Amino acid sequence: MNDTFQLDGASVPFAPGQTVMQAALAAGHYIPHLCYHPEFKPHGSCKLCTVKIGNHTAASCTMPAEAGLEIESDIEELNALRRTLVQMLFAEGNHFCPSCEKSGNCVLQALGYDLEVHTAGFRHMYPDRPLDASHPEILLDFNRCVLCELCVRASGEVDGKSVFALAGRGITKHLIVNSASGLLKDTNIALTDKAMEVCPVGVILKKRVGFSKPIGERRYDQRPISAQALDDAPRTPTGAKHE
Amino acid sequence: MNDITHRPKKLKIATTSLAGCFGCHMSFLDIDERILPLLDLIEFDRSPITDIKHCGPCDIGLIEGGICNAENVHVLREFRRNCKILISIGACAVTGGLPAQRNHLDLGSCLTEVYLTEPGLAHGHIPNDPELPLPLDKVHPLHEVVKIDYFIPGCPPSGDAIWKFLTDLIAGKTPELGHGLIKYD
Ligand code: SF4
Ligand code: SF4
Ligand code: FES
């Protein structure tokens, strides 16, 4: 129970079975992440949570904590790579934040702010991804999907419905809806589903409630994601608490 | 860079709006009375503030708006040739912004719908005056056409963000925005 590893020079306690990410967040140390969600099994796909252990790198959301590890995370070398990952996500989708309902509450955007990403840098791909507005209560805007599979995991594991899946490979990988027509109206998704609350970006949206919170009162207006994410993470019983 | 307290001469700054809405320029004016101490350090070359039509040699160029027509390309290149430091300011310059939302549509069908088939446009025609710059088939952010040195995101960036960025730069520091000033919306 009292085993520890070192993270950026700080001693982090962990319980058996915890990942580096879980232990770090529980002890009040933020490691940037996008596809990790405290309530789901790690997916290990976005690589924003990459840390260095000696000369190796690993995704901290999937890596089991081990006593004595010496881990680096908040270093310019890794933050520069994280910035590039965020820039690629912006360039490969259509992220027009000024007209996005998720703006201010969006994890991708908040990561960009925290990492001081001023531009996508790359050539924008402006893909053609039509919306699915077929469902009376729910809108799908595929332009902003970052392929984190949180909706897939939530709909399958929690809702028992498997409304969503990812199809294709590489740059053609995309989110699909599991119905004969491919349209959301022909699924049994409901507003109360877990899949409705997990999307970190602005893809799965409840209709007719957009822009209800004024600028200044949205989730990441007050506090950067590096502070907010610590509040969202469960604490371990090791007694470690931040602030 | 020069020490701002012992500067022999003022920095020259040029500004323009390409495929933008002048919102970033309005936001620049939101620095309010801070424009007075700023004017001790800088003078404006080409800008809507001076109405100078062509940009001469400058230290800093600030461009809002992306590239949507042939004239935008010429103006952008004129700025790049003349400005030591070129800054892309605002969502449209940085990402293409709202005008780039036509990028997955065919330009011909956009023009047809806007000028010919839209209800109420019975006698409409697609503007063809030779004075009008030709639209490009896609809207581009500035960094896809010329090298850009710095980016100030936001739609528009706040007056405070612009002030922080410019004063950092004039003081010879790497400009940083930080929480509350960096925003994409
Ligand atoms: S999903 Fe996030 S990053 Fe993408 S447009 Fe919306 S607010 Fe911006
Ligand atoms: S729709 Fe949202 S939750 Fe689902 S994969 Fe895309 S980004 Fe992730
Ligand atoms: S958060 Fe670890 S890979 Fe995405």
Side-chain angles (χ1 to χ4, degrees), chain A residues 90 96-99 103-104 109 112-113 116-124 126-128 215 218 220-224, chain B residues 91 94-98 100-101 103-104 139-141 143-144 151-153 155 165 175-179 182-185:
Chain A
F90 271 98
F96 296 106
C97 296
S99 55
S103 198
Q109 184 188 66
Y113 292 175
E116 282 269 332
V117 174
H118 293 177
T119 169
F122 297 96
R123 187 165 285 268
H124 285 259
Y126 302 117
D128 184 10
I215 291 177
R218 304 165 307 177
Y220 300 110
D221 286 338
Q222 302 287 336
R223 311 176 64 210
Chain B
V94 175
T95 74
L98 185 137
Q101 296 202 29
N103 277 359
H104 62 276
V139 177
H140 299 272
H143 70 270
E144 292 186 5
F151 300 82
I152 312 178
C155 186
F165 209 93
E176 267 180 31
L177 291 172
H179 180 72
I182 181 169
K183 62 186 196 79
Y184 304 154
D185 60 3

Side-chain angles (χ1 to χ4, degrees), chain A residues 90 94-97 100 102-104 106 108-109 144 201-202:
Chain A
F90 271 98
N94 288 313
H95 293 277
F96 296 106
C97 296
C100 178
K102 193 76 173 186
S103 198
C106 169
L108 178 65
Q109 184 188 66
R144 305 159 183 157
V201 291

Side-chain angles (χ1 to χ4, degrees), chain B residues 20-174:
Chain B
C21 69
F22 280 94
C24 295
H25 276 82
M26 297 309 291
S27 206
F28 188 12
L29 294 179
D30 275 343
I31 67 172
D32 297 329
E33 72 277 7
R34 287 172 289 183
I35 196 146
L36 297 175
L38 187 65
L39 285 172
D40 290 336
L41 302 173
I42 66 147
E43 60 185 318
F44 285 103
D45 190 88
R46 172 177 175 159
S47 167
I49 297 168
T50 58
D51 212 23
I52 296 172
K53 303 295 185 205
H54 287 281
C55 159
C58 281
D59 297 289
I60 299 173
L62 277 171
I63 303 188
E64 75 160 64
I67 296 294
C68 78
N69 65 33
E71 194 219 0
N72 293 159
V73 178
H74 291 299
V75 175
L76 177 61
R77 291 196 170 137
E78 175 182 302
F79 268 68
R80 180 68 283 182
R81 269 197 310 278
N82 283 290
C83 301
K84 290 186 198 142
I85 294 173
L86 196 56
I87 305 176
S88 194
I89 177 171
C92 300
V94 175
T95 74
L98 185 137
Q101 296 202 29
R102 72 159 159 91
N103 277 359
H104 62 276
L105 303 171
D106 173 68
L107 177 60
S109 58
C110 284
L111 291 171
T112 306
E113 181 157 347
V114 170
Y115 292 106
L116 298 177
T117 59
E118 183 75 355
L121 287 176
H123 302 294
H125 72 107
I126 295 176
N128 59 0
D129 190 302
E131 287 275 305
L132 290 173
L134 282 175
L136 305 180
D137 65 335
K138 302 278 180 245
V139 177
H140 299 272
L142 306 185
H143 70 270
E144 292 186 5
V145 182
V146 299
K147 181 181 186 297
I148 296 294
D149 302 296
Y150 294 102
F151 300 82
I152 312 178
C155 186
S158 65
D160 288 341
I162 297 170
W163 173 255
K164 170 79 165 61
F165 209 93
L166 284 182
T167 49
D168 275 2
L169 196 64
I170 291 169
K173 294 192 280 192
T174 301

Side-chain angles (χ1 to χ4, degrees), chain A residues 144-151 166 175 198-201 203-204:
Chain A
R144 305 159 183 157
C145 181
V146 293
L147 308 173
C148 68
E149 271 197 357
L150 275 168
C151 59
L166 293 188
L175 185 72
V198 292
C199 183
V201 291
V203 181
I204 306 172

